[in-house]
């Protein structure tokens, strides 16, 4: 394995500096978002890859509100035990936004909603169905919470028929209790991914499950390789690996800046383990180049929603 990391100092290393793209497609999408007051996590999350993704006709939406019931130490999302009620019109709003932006690939994520009896599962399903109805040629990718490990709630979301369903493992087993909310666990996340992968196999899609890891939190390389083993064994066939960057001084500190060649090593290691589609690099985020990891051609909805007896 390459050796390897850059100490955290006053300035970020050169490989973490963002190069903006002067692409007419990006400018067009940005103008639509501004004029119609559309909400994307790309903009609100200040993603460093916003110009790259929008230029490719890909964007990420966040549903369920802007306040999470969990408080992971790496995440800048607002947190409260009782967020605002769900917006019943949101599924149609998202669908119309996807159509207005003429997206080829739409990524939908959400906050955790532990305050709701179903964790927001039916809201998720309604959103997928609405996006599909108005945008039949757009591939749909979900980045879902763990629904507290309740497989029946997960089934509600899976049955809606997205093309890719992701759930992020986030970090290695040792760091999970200190980085993620106490209600999240390494094994619960793996169980969620196992069920997503199994559902995909039942429906004839062996690469349905996707996940992501952040590095630079203080993990060892052997722990990352063990996490890759666990993800591959769970049936994950699509994933991203990216550098953790501390949102504010109150959040979990960056332990190190991982060099680009180490990301290449992790990518090769993931592919060797059977994780076929991998994006790995310092600026990579969960939905980075999401269209490149998406199916080449969207299959009819019934191939995902018709279960084998």
């Amino acid at each position: 394995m390459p050796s390897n990391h850059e100490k955290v100092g006053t300035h970020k290393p050169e490989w973490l500096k963002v190069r903006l793209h002067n692409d007419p497609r990006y400018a067009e999408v940005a103008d639509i978002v501004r004029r119609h007051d559309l909400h994307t996590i790309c903009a609100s999350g200040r993603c460093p890859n916003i110009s790259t993704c929008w230029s490719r006709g890909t964007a990420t939406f966040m549903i369920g509100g802007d306040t999470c019931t969990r408080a992971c130490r790496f995440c800048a999302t607002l947190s409260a035990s009782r967020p605002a009620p769900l917006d019943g019109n949101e599924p149609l709003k998202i669908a119309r936004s996807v159509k207005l932006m003429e997206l080829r690939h739409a990524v939908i994520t959400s906050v955790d909603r532990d305050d709701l009896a179903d964790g927001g599962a039916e809201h998720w399903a309604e959103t997928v169905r609405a996006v599909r109805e108005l945008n039949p040629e757009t591939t749909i990718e979900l980045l879902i919470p763990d629904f507290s490990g309740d497989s029946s709630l997960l089934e509600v979301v899976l049955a809606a028929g997205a093309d890719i369903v992701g759930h992020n493992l986030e970090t290695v087993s040792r760091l999970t209790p200190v980085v993620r909310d106490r209600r999240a666990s390494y094994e619960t996340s793996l169980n969620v991914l196992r069920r997503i992968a199994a559902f995909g196999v039942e429906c004839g899609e062996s690469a349905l499950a996707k996940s992501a890891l952040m590095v630079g939190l203080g993990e060892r390389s052997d722990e990352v390789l063990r996490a890759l083993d666990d993800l591959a064994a769970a049936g994950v066939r699509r994933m991203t690996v990216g550098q953790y960057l501390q949102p504010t001084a109150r959040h979990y500190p960056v332990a190190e800046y991982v060099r680009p060649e180490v990301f290449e090593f992790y990518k090769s290691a993931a592919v060797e383990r059977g994780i076929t589609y991998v994006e790995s690099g310092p600026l990579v985020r969960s939905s980075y180049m999401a269209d490149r990891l998406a199916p080449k051609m969207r299959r009819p909805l019934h191939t995902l929603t018709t279960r084998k007896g």
Side-chain angles (χ1 to χ4, degrees), residues 222-296:
D222 64 297
E223 292 177 308
V224 175
L225 296 179
R226 195 171 306 121
L228 295 179
D229 287 334
D230 292 338
L231 288 169
V236 170
R237 296 296 176 264
R238 307 175 194 269
M239 76 170 296
T240 61
V241 185
Q243 169 72 51
Y244 168 66
L245 296 175
Q246 186 179 18
T248 73
R250 300 191 310 274
H251 288 84
Y252 197 84
V254 176
E256 57 198 356
Y257 293 128
V258 179
R259 300 185 66 83
E261 54 265 33
V262 180
F263 284 101
E264 285 301 313
F265 171 76
Y266 288 148
K267 179 175 182 175
S268 297
V271 172
E272 287 173 4
R273 286 159 172 77
I275 304 175
T276 314
Y277 309 98
V278 184
E279 291 289 347
S280 179
L283 292 173
V284 168
R285 297 295 177 265
S286 297
S287 56
Y288 177 74
M289 293 292 188
D291 61 310
R292 202 155 69 183
L293 300 188
K296 295 298 182 184

Side-chain angles (χ1 to χ4, degrees), residues 34-82:
R34 182 175 59 255
R35 284 190 291 109
H36 295 271
D37 195 27
L38 304 181
H39 174 69
T40 69
I41 194 66
C42 318
S44 62
R46 300 180 182 179
C47 179
N49 305 307
I50 185 170
S51 60
T52 300
C53 292
W54 284 10
S55 297
R56 295 174 64 88
T58 301
T60 301
F61 301 91
M62 186 166 73
I63 63 173
D66 62 358
T67 303
C68 188
T69 51
R70 300 189 184 183
C72 295
R73 295 184 64 195
F74 66 85
C75 183
T77 302
L78 298 173
S79 179
S81 59
R82 286 285 176 183

